[in-house]
Amino acid sequence: MTPQSARPLRFGIISFAHMHATSYARCIQANPDTELVAVADPDPERGSTWAGRFGVPLYADHRELLERGDIDAVIVTTANVEHAAMTLDAAAAGKHVLCEKPLATTVADGRDDRGVPARRLPGHGLPLPLSARGRAGQEQVDAGKLGRILAIAGANRGWMPGGWFVDRAQAGGGAVMDHTVHVADLIRWFTGAEFAEVYAEAGTLFHDLDIDDAGLPRSA
Amino acid sequence: MLRVGLIGAGLIGQVHRAYGNLRNAQLVAVADIRPEKAAEVGERYGSRQFATLDDLLAAVDVDVIDICLPTPLHASHTIRALEAGKHVICEKPITRTLEEARQVAAAVERAAGMFTVGHVVRFFPEYARAHDLIAAGEVGAPRVVHTVRVGAFPPWSYRNWMGDLDQSGGVILDLACHELDWLRWTCGEVTRVFARGLAYSHLAEGDSRDHSLIVLRFASGAMAHVEVSWAVPPRGPFVTKVEVAGSRGLMSFDNQSSMSIRGYWNVEGISTAAPESPLAVGPHQAEIAHFIDCIEAGRQPLVGVEDAIKALEVSLAALESVRTGLPVTLGGAQ
């Protein structure tokens, strides 16, 4: 990809279903090298609220946003179940794509590239390896400070977000789907290894929900 | 005044010196195969010194036998002392194998004396208080628990028995059994165990780098994660942590924030972390005093033989899970 030299990289955001969309929008507007051009959201009230907040036009249909020639990259922050399809639509339209995690709700969807050229395929919303702490940890591992990594224990917990996050059809899974990927991603970075086996205890232990809200995944 | 014979004057045996602080017990005899160790205790407390339990029993009339020997010797010595009519307190884990544990249970059944196992974590103030708060419903039902118990490998054990998985059961039997007992006490029976660890891997370097992550499922539906390790570098800190997420609240505690003296000095000739949280009555003294009081009052001690066997059963299930890579179901068909 040719560097953009003087012109800022121009972004569109597809959907404010995921709360991180607002963080991305703020980051884009705060960064002198990026510009928020438009947003798309099928929810008129939510869409107009945030389009108004960030001072950009709103599209009800993401495909119209993707037709704009003045958008270089999009961020996909729909509910999980739409991530794969939105990402492929954006890539097919020639846009760079940053897709919120998880990439898809099934492995099959995640692996399906519909023949889209590989260089257009997405970066993910997995920021931890890029954080200052993540990078420092990686440097220490790479420098051999720990020797061989024998075991890693990690945790990721937070408030139960409600909404589509606890609707299996929208989210694909509950706490385990939402939180595992960040820790799993860090583990892959630190070890340079792929997962071979997974065992998990999970359940609905805290809330009156029809989806898991707690889990202890273990892998090798 | 109950007369106590201490068998094994190694590290934990000498921690059991708390008898010196009790008004209703006296350490009258000590036995250790190493005469210099027996002398360390004997000269300090005016106790008669012997090489073995049998020597001690033959020469001195004691009421209580306190067994602080390597794990594989627990069963034989416990049974011998019970059959000699003594009350017995034995260090954890109760035995090395379940078969031995059943033999001990049978001996306890036949014996006149009382029996307990040194699951001392129940007597650490935070663990005891946490248990009581949870039992009182302060955080609701315990649902997800994380525990940590990690430190450097203890290199001072007699002929390095701790470094031999067959003898010590590694970090799972030696360290995790504390958590597994406390978790049973706090969260109820364990139905399923899955563990990963280094026990059967050359990476454990004998046991000296043994490390394990254990996942438990309880009959209540609750889950727990138990992390134990001897892989902390030498002179590194000994860290314990507990976090309980309940249906109505969260609770956590750790020894780092509550430690009042952070010491680093030689223990048994090895430079090591030697943290202290001095209390008027330390947990080992509390544990011993509790047993002595129970004997005098004819009351059942807090930790009974069944508790100790259950803790061993969960520990051995974890070890088995590490070996096979499969979960182990308890209390029913596999």
Side-chain angles (χ1 to χ4, degrees), chain A residues 148 150-153 155 157 197 199 201-206 214-216 218-220, chain B residues 143-144 192 194 196 198 203 209 211 213 215 217 221 223-225 227 243 245-246 327:
Chain A
R148 175 175 178 162
L150 298 177
I152 299 181
R157 75 280 295 275
E197 281 177 30
Y199 174 90
E201 293 281 355
T204 310
L205 299 181
F206 295 96
L216 295 173
R218 290 291 157 260
S219 47
Chain B
R143 306 310 277 160
V144 180
R192 191 162 56 228
F194 179 80
R196 288 235 177 260
L198 299 178
L203 294 167
R209 209 195 267 153
H211 184 104
L213 303 174
V215 173
R217 177 72 83 164
M223 312 185 295
H225 177 245
E227 178 176 353
E243 181 193 76

Side-chain angles (χ1 to χ4, degrees), chain B residues 3-17 19 27 29-34 51-54 56-57 62-96 100 104 107-108 111 114-120 161 174 178 284 287-288 291-292 295 308:
Chain B
R3 291 152 301 172
V4 182
L6 176 68
I7 317 299
L11 191 91
I12 205 63
Q14 301 216 25
V15 172
H16 283 216
R17 69 182 179 273
Y19 291 108
L27 193 59
V30 57
D32 196 297
I33 202 96
R34 301 162 292 186
T52 69
L53 169 64
D54 282 339
L56 187 155
L57 288 175
V62 296
D63 305 297
V64 181
I65 290 288
D66 184 344
I67 298 170
C68 293
L69 295 172
T71 303
L73 300 174
H74 286 185
S76 57
H77 286 71
T78 294
I79 293 168
R80 174 81 185 89
L82 285 170
E83 287 175 349
K86 311 304 176 189
H87 305 287
V88 176
I89 171 170
C90 180
E91 261 296 330
K92 37 56 66 179
I94 179 174
T95 56
R96 180 59 180 86
E100 288 174 328
V104 167
V108 169
M114 295 198 133
F115 173 72
T116 195
V117 173
H119 280 290
V120 68
W161 68 268
D174 201 72
H178 283 302
H284 290 88
E287 167 189 71
I288 288 164
F291 187 53
I292 298 293
I295 293 169

Side-chain angles (χ1 to χ4, degrees), chain B residues 110-162:
Chain B
R110 291 188 304 263
M114 295 198 133
F115 173 72
T116 195
V117 173
H119 280 290
V120 68
V121 160
R122 295 198 191 195
F123 293 86
F124 273 74
E126 292 92 345
Y127 287 86
R129 181 75 179 130
H131 167 270
D132 291 348
L133 287 168
I134 291 164
E138 294 295 345
V139 295
R143 306 310 277 160
V144 180
V145 184
H146 285 263
T147 71
V148 174
R149 183 171 295 270
V150 301
F153 176 74
W156 46 71
S157 65
Y158 177 63
R159 292 183 180 169
N160 195 31
W161 68 268
M162 296 191 87

